[in-house]
Amino acid sequence: MEAVHGQCLVVDLPDGTATAVALPELVFASVLGGNGLASYLLYRFCPPGADPLGPENPLIFATSPFLGTGLTTSSKLALAAKSPQTERIGDSISSSYLALALKHTGFDALVIRGQARDWSVLIVEDDQVRLEPADDVLGLDPTATADALRARLGRGFRVAAIGLAGERGVRFASISNDGRLAGRTGLGAVMGQKRLKAVAVRGTRPLPSVADPAAVAAAARALAARSQGPETAKYRVLGTVANVALFNRLGVLPTRNFQAGQFEGAEELSGEHLVTTRRVDTHACAACTIGCEHHFLAKGNGAKARLEYETLYALGPLCGIADPDIVVHAAALCDRYAMDAISAGGTIAWAMECVERGIALPGDPADWPRFGDGPSLLRALNLIGQRQGPLGALLAEGSRRAAHVLGQGSEAWAMHVKGLELPGYDPRKLKTMALGLAVATRGACHNRSSAYEVDFSDQLPPDAAARARAEAAVRAEDTAAVIDSLTLCKFLRHCFDDLFAEAAHLWTLVTGLPLDADGLRQAGTRINTLKKAFNLREGWTRHEDTLPPRLLQSPDSLVDGTELDRLVAAYYAVRGWDDAGRIPLPQWRALGLEALLGPLEGVCGGYARR
Amino acid sequence: MRPASAQQPTVTVELFGVPQLLAQTRQVELSAATLHELAQQLATRLPALAGSVVDRATGWLLPGYIFVVDGRFTRDPNYQLTRGARVLLVAAQAGGM
């Protein structure tokens, strides 16, 4: 096949030795690349039962065949490790110039194992790997770290770095790439545990050729043109912050730790208001023609930050904060410490509800965060990012662990699935999304499920049967897996008339491997099955596929516990799994996973029903 | 295009996102029997929407936009409107990072 090197570089710390490991064509034909490749490598290189914050947990950086072909938005890096938040699969994607640099090294992926003896920077130049001390960049934010390293090593290097949150083991720490964060599931904490402040990559080798260069170039031009159409106008003109006003109008804007679905301060935080009062510039990700990134400047405090809907929701309505300048400042803090804004906001909102209910948090009561109190939100973010004091240490664990430590019934309002805090889609009024959030392999996630699209469309009637809703949720998951594995941006998805047919054709033009729409759909199914198999191997059980009790017990919820059970059962049936959510051996084989990963018994602990 | 008449129900259209910024208004009252007629009325009343949100040739929404009628998402141009209905004009892509 074309467009790949067919090998990954496995780096073993503490000495930084590197080994090239072959990635045969079967791997790409099975899992495409990107998110699928990262998931495959995690499955292969993570020992069963590994401690997420132990040296045996590998950190994976993966690219895709589309990367470097000129196809718009495809310069993305897929990362994976066992998540310190969920203890299940941790996968995240970031637009990144490092992705292209990595592909120029002659490798399709990087696998980092072990732990450095001291804080280090891992430097990869083609197939040469070395560790350098990180003393001069420790404590710096990711941007300053990248600037310092590029000044030291040369402008040709691209850098992925953690901030103080990753250094200090905040479980929802992120990895920053040129200001874009691989945000969710705590991969920054994994990198910090390895005592890696940064990974710097420079490649000088030519990119692999594509199968049909002229056709790929033409397709890239056509896709770039379509990316400028009305399907992406929302992102180009306002960005994802456009969601705030609409979601509030629809009653699905989670407010004060999901105590409500509408926020009285939504107007001040609306995208329509922000772009006319505080936007200072817009940017595009690496190799992107859409340009959805909008930067905002806070009045008064001088903070500047890129705002996305999820950041705005988690640091605004979820915490009862209506002051946009506070939210911009809070978002800038999350970027500076490099930590996931959704989990940070979700954990602080949990703490705010504790205070509201009169439950004492550790530390100085003057530091306790309170709903609607902007300065207390900023104080809490600083305590978490620095893991400072007993309150910072508690909240750095995330809402699930913090609630377990604090007790006093506070688990009831820890709003997470599998330990990952919920994104800004209130599932009480979004029935398909409720199912998607419950079953997503990485925990409460809108990017791996995107089942909200079903609820925000006319795909299904309100009284659709559980089976139809489950089929829609499965389609949404498999679509997301395909897009994430081709490393295309999801904002392109409506630019295709027939995503699977057209993307399969692109695949063939790029790689030379035959693929049709059904084959691409099956690849999405295979990737999600692989992720589920990882979770099963790590101890997943049926009871994890649920939602926080608050969402199932609200009088206005479309989904109670019984209905969710019905939906989850239908989802397993559509997936072809058994009643307990396990993967039957015939399906493992039919999807080609036995050929890829070996016998089910050997890799999955014999959970399958024969 | 059928002219608005007293027989056609009056509905309130709320604009969100790009349509709101283009039209420089949040809400407008119009009379239309179907969503197709409503889209045509919108392009007439708010010319900034013509060509960018409403297709000039067909008078229907361009890809990327959808109506929400009394809480239900729809791109059915024949959807029958009732008096007093609340119609939202929104981007079809609801997702975000």
Side-chain angles (χ1 to χ4, degrees), chain A residues 180 230-231 233-235 238 240 243 245-247 249 267 272 308 310 425 446 452 456-458 491 493-494, chain B residues 14 16-18 20-21 26 62-66 68 72-75 86 88 90-91 93-97:
Chain A
R180 302 289 301 192
E231 297 88 349
K234 165 186 164 178
Y235 300 117
L238 285 120
T240 59
N243 289 351
L246 176 62
F247 283 22
R249 177 66 176 79
E267 166 60 29
E272 294 87 336
E308 301 288 352
E310 292 297 339
Y425 299 78
H446 62 296
Y452 57 81
F456 290 140
S457 73
D458 51 4
F491 295 169
R493 65 194 183 279
H494 291 296
Chain B
E14 299 176 37
F16 288 86
V18 173
Q20 183 186 116
L21 293 182
R26 296 177 177 206
L62 286 165
Y65 296 96
I66 192 168
V68 187
R72 186 163 178 180
F73 286 74
T74 177
R75 274 184 61 89
R86 305 289 299 194
L88 316 185
V90 307
Q93 292 216 42
M97 289 186 289

